[in-house]
Amino acid sequence: LGAYTDSRGALGIRKEVAEYIERRDGVPANPDNIYLTDGASVAVRYVLNAAIRDENDAILVPIPQYPLYSASIQLYGGTLLPYYLKEEKGWGMDIEGIRKSIHESRANGTNVRAIVFINPGNPTGQCMTSDDLKDLVKLAYEEGLVLLADEVYQPNVYQTEKPFISAKKILSELGGPYSDNVELASFHTVSKGVLGECGLRGGYVEFVNFHPDTIDQMYKAASINLSPNTTGQLSMSLMANPPK
C-alpha cells in the first residue's frame, strides 16, 4: 500500500472498474479512459478545471444542488449558470427552459461549456427516466455541451418505479451521432457505492468520447498529485468486484 501507483490509478483496478461498467450497461469501457481519484470530488474538480478558462465560461448546474459544484466553479474563476429543477414534476428537468437559458447566455457573450446533472438526485432524490436522459443527451449534442454525470448515488435507490439508468447506457441506445460525439464524464465513489465509506476517499471518472489529446492533458493534471491514495483504490476495487 505504501508505493505510488500510476497517476490514473493502478491498471488492474481500472480494469475491474471497466468490467463493472460493462456489466452495468452492456457497453465496453476502456481502462485508459478511467481515472481513479481520491473520491468523486477530485474527479469533478479535474473536469471543471479543464472546462473553465475564465469568467466567460459557464457551467450549467441544477438547483437544488450539492455545493461542490458552485464552490469549485467559483474557485476556478468560471460562472455558474443555474437551472431550476421542477418540484411539481418530481424534481425533473425543464429542457426547453435550459435551452432558452443557454441561448440567452451565449447572446450575452458567455460560453456555456457543460451541464452538470445529479442522477439519482442530491438532495432531491429523484431518478431520471430513460426519456429524460435521452432529451438531455440530445440537448448536449445540439448545443455542444459536455455532460457531467454525477451518478454516485446509483446503488441507493429504494423504489422500483424509476430504476437508475446510466447516461452511458442511454448514449449507446441512442446510437448514431449521439453515441459517437457527445462528450460524457461520469463519476462514482465508494462513499455512496458501498455503505457510506466516505473517509476511504476512493472514486473514479470515466471519459466517454473525449479527444485523446484531452485525455492526455487530464493525465498531466492527475500527475501533479502523483497518484490517488492506494487505500481508496483498493476500496474501489472491492466496490467494483466484491467477494462473491
Side-chain angles (χ1 to χ4, degrees), residues 18-159:
E19 291 164 1
Y20 166 85
I21 293 169
E22 185 168 355
R23 287 195 303 271
R24 184 191 69 189
D25 298 333
V27 181
N30 182 352
D32 289 338
N33 294 338
I34 294 168
Y35 284 39
L36 305 180
T37 54
D38 293 340
S41 299
V42 171
V44 168
R45 290 198 292 269
Y46 279 164
V47 179
L48 289 177
N49 191 26
I52 295 168
R53 298 163 295 186
D54 55 38
E55 67 276 4
N56 292 317
D57 286 336
I59 310 295
L60 283 153
V61 176
I63 305 296
Q65 54 109 16
Y66 177 58
L68 165 68
Y69 296 97
S70 53
S72 298
I73 290 167
Q74 185 171 6
L75 178 66
Y76 295 131
T79 297
L80 184 147
L81 182 58
Y83 66 90
Y84 292 86
L85 301 177
K86 298 292 185 180
E87 184 176 5
E88 65 275 15
K89 295 182 179 179
W91 300 105
M93 300 173 78
D94 177 8
I95 293 293
E96 289 312 309
I98 295 171
R99 191 189 304 275
K100 180 180 177 182
S101 179
I102 292 168
H103 293 173
E104 289 174 351
S105 296
R106 287 176 172 165
N108 292 326
T110 301
N111 302 308
V112 185
R113 304 268 282 166
I115 182 168
V116 173
F117 62 103
I118 306 174
N119 180 42
N122 178 13
T124 52
Q126 88 286 2
C127 283
M128 295 177 68
T129 66
S130 175
D131 288 341
D132 291 338
L133 287 163
K134 286 176 181 177
D135 288 342
L136 181 57
V137 167
K138 291 173 183 177
L139 175 76
Y141 176 75
E142 292 161 2
E143 301 296 340
L145 301 175
V146 179
L147 290 176
L148 306 185
D150 184 330
E151 298 176 329
V152 304
Y153 284 95
Q154 58 188 270
N156 308 117
V157 178
Y158 305 104
Q159 44 79 27

Side-chain angles (χ1 to χ4, degrees), residues 171-191:
L171 267 183
S172 175
E173 289 178 0
L174 282 173
Y178 305 108
S179 61
D180 294 336
N181 294 287
V182 173
E183 293 170 299
L184 166 69
S186 61
F187 310 100
H188 199 9
T189 176
V190 298
S191 294

Side-chain angles (χ1 to χ4, degrees), residues 211-228:
H211 192 282
D213 288 348
T214 303
I215 300 290
D216 289 344
Q217 294 301 321
M218 293 290 189
Y219 198 174
K220 290 181 183 179
S223 297
I224 296 171
N225 292 331
L226 300 180
S227 81

